[in-house]
Amino acid sequence: MVKLTLEAAKQLLAVAEQKARQMGLSSDIAIVDEGANLIAFHRMDNARIAGIDISQNKAWTSVAMQMPTANLAQSALPGGPSFGINTTNHGRLVILGGGIPLVSKDKIIGGIGVSGGTSAQDIEVANAAVQAFNSLLGFGDTAMTSARIGSTIRTGRPAQ
């Protein structure tokens, strides 16, 4: 099983930060492991203090619910099949966009959560890191090893 290393998490943070800077955002960015435990966190200068918990909870939600947080927004509306879901888990479940699971070989091995812009902007920043992560994995290469995860992503590489 592929494990998300601290080194890889720091590189994903760097990719997300680069994308946020390009968009003129000050973001809070969190990376969690397959158990939704925090691996790495970065608060850019002038990022909102409230975004610390929001970004970490977006990452947690993406792993706990096994889907991007944006997928929960529609079903959580009044009258929707999941109305009120955001009040569960002691309010930790976030239905705002910007939390995306990191998947390898159909297994969730972590998640990223971003807070600092609109939901659409947070999704865009998180997607930059997800694309870098997928590139690291060789776009689903089943021969991926945990050693490559800690050594392949280049922080200077432009976000795709």
Side-chain angles (χ1 to χ4, degrees):
M1 177 180 191
V2 176
K3 297 288 275 181
L4 187 60
T5 66
L6 174 60
E7 185 60 32
K10 290 192 296 189
Q11 293 175 18
L12 294 175
L13 288 177
V15 169
E17 179 183 359
Q18 179 182 13
K19 183 64 174 178
R21 284 190 192 286
Q22 289 172 354
M23 296 172 65
L25 300 172
S26 293
S27 296
D28 293 286
I29 308 159
I31 307 285
V32 298
D33 66 14
E34 73 280 1
N37 302 298
L38 186 64
I39 296 176
F41 173 79
H42 182 69
R43 180 173 174 251
M44 294 174 64
D45 291 342
N46 302 314
R48 294 183 189 111
I49 295 169
I52 295 169
D53 281 344
I54 294 169
S55 64
Q56 290 178 21
N57 288 340
K58 284 180 181 183
W60 181 88
T61 299
S62 74
V63 172
M65 295 299 291
Q66 302 177 1
M67 68 178 71
T69 55
N71 291 10
L72 295 167
Q74 189 68 31
S75 64
L77 291 173
S82 299
F83 176 67
I85 194 166
N86 54 306
T87 64
T88 66
N89 294 279
H90 304 285
R92 190 169 190 191
L93 225 144
V94 178
I95 61 172
L96 305 169
I100 303 175
L102 301 171
V103 180
S104 171
K105 300 178 192 173
D106 297 323
K107 300 259 190 229
I108 294 175
I109 65 162
I112 182 168
V114 178
S115 179
T118 65
S119 284
Q121 290 170 323
D122 291 348
I123 291 167
E124 191 172 343
V125 171
N127 271 330
V130 170
Q131 288 175 5
F133 175 78
N134 289 337
S135 176
L136 165 73
L137 294 179
F139 299 103
D141 179 7
T142 56
M144 169 48 71
T145 65
S146 59
R148 277 183 66 196
I149 284 204
S151 61
T152 308
I153 294 178
R154 304 286 184 249
T155 57
R157 175 189 240 173
Q160 299 175 0

